[in-house]
Amino acid sequence: MWLAAWLGLSLAYAGDPCPIDFRLTNLGPLDKPGAVPIEEDKIFQDLRAFVEKSECTTVEVALSDAGTVPLGKEGENVNLQGWRLQQLLMDSEGGFRCKDAHEVLIALSATNHTGFVVYQRGTRRVLLTTAGWGTVCMDTTELEKGGEAALKKLWDGATGKLVKDRHDNP
């Protein structure tokens, strides 16, 4: 231990909550006029960069491809229909479930990741939800103009309860 201290190394110890591993899944554009394709979605690109440089966080990114979303680790052939997940994120009037999407996706919290995070961009808002933990919606304008502070508000709104639980119960 003194050698590690002398070399300036930090050692993980039992009960260390870091890193928290997340699976960030982009379900792709909704089937609506004005939908933004994944490759043109600057908000998602900025969110991904923000999360990848965050301390105490590792992130694996999964993108919808030809209507399916990979569920397992890379190389595993486990896919879900993206449109079915998108339907779960919507209320009976076709709007985002900004308060409880994490509850309807709770089964996804049983994956091998500490946090299964789902990103969905609409025409006016972005929904971000951590399966079983929390959901937040923000206007695209606020996210486009708000920089890192807006991205932090989005990320923390969806993942904050899980992160707190992980730190409280390492």
Side-chain angles (χ1 to χ4, degrees):
M1 187 76 149
W2 65 269
L3 180 60
W6 181 71
L7 293 173
L9 302 173
S10 68
L11 298 176
Y13 56 91
D16 186 356
C18 294
I20 302 172
D21 63 317
F22 290 98
R23 168 73 171 257
L24 176 58
T25 302
N26 186 331
L27 296 180
L30 295 170
D31 188 19
K32 292 185 175 183
V36 177
I38 292 174
E39 61 275 2
E40 296 175 20
D41 189 347
K42 177 118 172 56
I43 294 170
F44 182 73
Q45 294 167 8
D46 291 347
L47 178 64
R48 181 178 181 173
F50 172 79
V51 175
E52 286 176 343
K53 70 179 185 178
S54 296
E55 289 185 30
C56 190
T57 299
T58 61
V59 65
E60 179 182 320
V61 176
L63 306 175
S64 177
D65 182 29
T68 64
V69 177
L71 182 61
K73 296 280 188 184
E74 191 172 329
E76 295 177 352
N77 194 15
V78 180
N79 295 306
L80 297 173
Q81 294 294 320
W83 66 272
R84 290 185 188 269
L85 292 175
Q86 288 173 332
Q87 282 184 332
L88 292 173
L89 300 177
M90 304 296 185
D91 62 22
S92 61
E93 297 174 10
F96 282 151
R97 296 178 71 152
C98 294
K99 293 185 180 359
D100 67 349
H102 59 284
E103 293 173 7
V104 298
L105 297 179
I106 196 164
L108 294 176
S109 67
T111 64
N112 291 332
H113 302 279
T114 303
F116 196 98
V117 183
V118 174
Y119 173 94
Q120 181 64 66
R121 181 174 178 152
T123 55
R124 297 176 294 119
R125 294 184 295 174
V126 167
L127 177 144
L128 192 70
T129 184
T130 303
W133 292 95
T135 303
V136 66
C137 290
M138 289 180 65
D139 289 336
T140 56
T141 304
E142 180 181 355
L143 288 163
E144 289 167 345
K145 294 180 180 179
E148 282 202 6
L151 295 172
K152 180 173 176 27
K153 181 179 174 183
L154 179 69
W155 183 256
D156 290 351
T159 65
K161 289 179 183 176
L162 181 145
V163 171
K164 181 180 179 343
D165 181 73
R166 183 68 190 271
H167 284 275
D168 291 350
N169 304 292

